[in-house]
């Protein structure tokens, strides 16, 4: 009887890993993307709504840069034009991940140890910024619903780039992320709350709905992006390694928004340009990257 139960649990766990791998693989590819956001409701009587019908889009390549049974790391590249490729965000998917970096306040994350039952059978999505600094983590289980795979989580996050560059009237984005995955692409649906957090007390400023669509197109339309990555991946791996080393030895991380008027990704992109132009040598680049990142750590 006990052996039967163990075999059943093992088979269930293996199925969850397999289903998660298959789902995550479907969010890799070349996509025509469209992002749409609208603020929907505010309890503040005189609130002035922002971007009630904001739409943007483009072409984006998402491809795995690390694969194992219980982890898939996906790099996103944005195709601005055939001659201009931008390193975009990165997402790591990990099965039954016991550690979460919880976003608590402006540019501050605290490491939390989760109970095994909290993450049993679940996949954690870890989203990293363009600079590979932390952004947010959320966990949920992949479920199959009439041919569509669904994954959902709710977590606190910093302001997205589309917001922090133009406003500072709130400091927490409580986001419910819902992925609807099919063979032709996926929809990233969001139900967000823009929150003012002060001394541990949350006040809702406004709610927001987001619908980001990823429609699969032929891989040849993203060929130039893959070439960009082959040329620059060694540099970005070094950047990722600096962050990984710091996070593995600390329980809290607090980052500055700007240093000398620049946000961190500006400094790292400038350093990449210098490295490619041979203004910074292979012997210097690791220390230069570490110096750049540590300028932003409080």
């Amino acid at each position: 009887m006990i052996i039967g139960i163990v075999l059943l649990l093992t088979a269930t766990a293996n199925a969850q890993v397999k289903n998660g791998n298959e789902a995550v693989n479907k969010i890799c590819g070349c996509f025509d993307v469209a992002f749409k956001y609208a603020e929907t409701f505010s309890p503040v009587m005189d609130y002035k709504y922002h971007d009630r019908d904001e739409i943007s889009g483009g072409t984006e390549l998402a491809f795995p840069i690390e694969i194992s049974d219980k982890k898939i790391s996906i790099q996103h590249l944005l195709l601005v034009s055939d001659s201009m490729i931008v390193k975009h965000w990165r997402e790591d998917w990990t099965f039954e991940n016991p550690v979460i970096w919880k976003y608590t306040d402006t540019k501050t994350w605290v490491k939390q140890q989760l109970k095994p039952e909290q993450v049993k059978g679940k996949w954690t999505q870890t989203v990293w910024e363009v600079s590979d600094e932390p952004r947010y983590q959320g966990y949920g289980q992949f479920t199959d619903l009439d041919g569509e795979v669904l994954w959902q989580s709710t977590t606190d996050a910093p302001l997205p780039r589309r917001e922090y560059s133009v406003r500072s009237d709130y400091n927490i984005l409580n986001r419910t992320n819902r992925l609807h995955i099919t063979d032709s692409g996926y929809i990233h649906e969001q139900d967000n709350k823009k929150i003012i957090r002060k001394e541990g007390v949350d006040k809702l400023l406004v709610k927001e709905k987001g619908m980001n669509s990823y429609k699969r197109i032929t891989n040849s339309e993203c060929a130039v992006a893959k070439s960009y990555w082959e040329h620059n991946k060694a540099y970005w791996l070094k950047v990722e390694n600096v962050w990984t080393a710091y996070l593995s030895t600390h329980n809290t991380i607090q980052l500055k928004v700007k240093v000398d008027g620049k946000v961190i990704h500006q400094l790292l992109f400038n350093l990449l340009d210098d490295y490619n132009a041979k203004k910074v040598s292979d012997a210097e680049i690791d220390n230069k990257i570490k110096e750049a990142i540590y300028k932003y750590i409080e």
Side-chain angles (χ1 to χ4, degrees):
M1 182 68 171
I2 293 176
I3 294 175
I5 293 173
V6 171
L7 290 174
L8 177 61
L9 292 174
T10 301
T12 300
N14 288 339
Q16 289 165 341
V17 171
K18 182 176 182 291
N19 291 342
N21 271 298
E22 291 175 352
V24 174
N25 284 331
K26 286 184 178 180
I27 63 178
C28 294
C30 185
F31 298 98
D32 180 28
V33 299
F35 307 124
K36 185 174 182 178
Y37 298 93
E39 292 184 341
T40 58
F41 166 77
S42 174
V44 181
M45 292 300 295
D46 58 349
Y47 178 75
K48 182 179 179 181
Y49 287 89
H50 292 244
D51 301 325
R52 293 194 67 115
D53 195 26
E54 177 192 353
I55 304 174
S56 61
T59 303
E60 185 151 311
L61 175 66
F63 59 98
I65 56 176
E66 180 184 345
I67 302 177
S68 66
D69 286 344
K70 297 185 178 182
K71 180 180 179 181
I72 301 176
S73 182
I74 301 171
Q75 179 63 57
H76 290 249
L77 299 177
L78 187 64
L79 286 79
V80 180
S81 67
D82 286 345
S83 59
M84 186 176 181
I85 311 300
V86 176
K87 177 186 178 290
H88 214 185
W89 55 292
R90 190 180 94 245
E91 56 182 318
D92 293 343
W93 289 89
T94 47
F95 185 66
E96 296 185 343
N97 180 18
V99 176
I100 287 287
W101 281 90
K102 182 177 176 59
Y103 190 69
T104 60
D105 206 338
T106 306
K107 302 292 278 186
T108 303
W109 296 259
V110 176
K111 186 185 290 185
Q112 287 191 341
Q113 188 76 32
L114 300 176
K115 297 178 180 178
E117 57 267 28
Q118 289 179 275
V119 294
K120 185 174 179 59
K122 298 175 181 178
W123 284 81
T124 295
Q125 181 198 41
T126 304
V127 174
W128 307 92
E129 279 283 7
V130 173
S131 59
D132 287 315
E133 69 183 88
R135 191 170 177 189
Y136 63 83
Q137 290 183 295
Y139 53 93
Q141 190 165 329
F142 286 102
T143 56
D144 196 327
L145 185 63
D146 296 328
E148 178 183 85
V149 177
L150 180 68
W151 178 90
Q152 177 176 307
S153 76
T154 299
T155 189
D156 287 345
L159 275 63
R161 198 178 344 160
R162 61 186 169 83
E163 293 275 80
Y164 70 64
S165 59
V166 296
R167 63 191 296 187
S168 58
D169 54 342
Y170 72 101
N171 59 345
I172 300 291
L173 185 68
N174 177 261
R175 54 190 305 157
T176 294
N177 295 316
R178 198 172 296 111
L179 299 184
H180 305 263
I181 306 170
T182 66
D183 290 336
S184 60
Y186 66 100
I187 299 291
H188 176 195
E189 180 185 3
Q190 301 175 45
D191 288 300
N192 300 328
K193 296 177 182 177
K194 299 177 181 181
I195 291 171
I196 302 168
R197 179 170 294 167
K198 188 175 182 180
E199 297 178 353
V201 178
D202 287 359
K203 178 183 177 182
L204 175 65
L205 178 64
V206 66
K207 292 183 179 181
E208 175 188 70
K209 188 72 176 182
M211 293 293 286
N212 299 344
S213 64
Y214 291 74
K215 183 180 178 182
R216 191 176 302 280
I217 55 180
T218 60
N219 289 333
S220 61
E221 297 185 59
C222 289
V224 292
K226 203 64 181 291
S227 296
Y228 164 91
W229 185 251
E230 290 303 315
H231 183 63
N232 294 292
K233 65 181 180 181
Y235 172 84
W236 289 113
L237 179 59
K238 293 176 185 293
V239 172
E240 180 185 342
N241 287 341
V242 172
W243 286 115
T244 300
Y246 185 88
L247 293 171
S248 66
T249 56
H250 292 77
N251 293 321
T252 301
I253 182 169
Q254 183 177 6
L255 300 177
K256 301 173 185 177
V257 177
K258 290 185 177 181
V259 174
D260 299 328
K262 291 183 178 181
V263 294
I264 188 170
H265 71 259
Q266 290 176 294
L267 203 62
L268 291 173
F269 279 121
N270 290 342
L271 184 56
L272 172 61
D273 290 340
D274 289 343
Y275 181 55
N276 285 334
K278 307 299 183 184
K279 294 179 181 178
V280 178
S281 69
D282 288 334
E284 298 173 306
I285 190 60
D286 289 288
N287 284 334
K288 289 287 186 181
I289 290 171
K290 187 174 182 178
E291 288 172 8
I293 289 174
Y294 273 59
K295 284 181 181 180
Y296 289 83
I297 297 177
E298 295 279 11

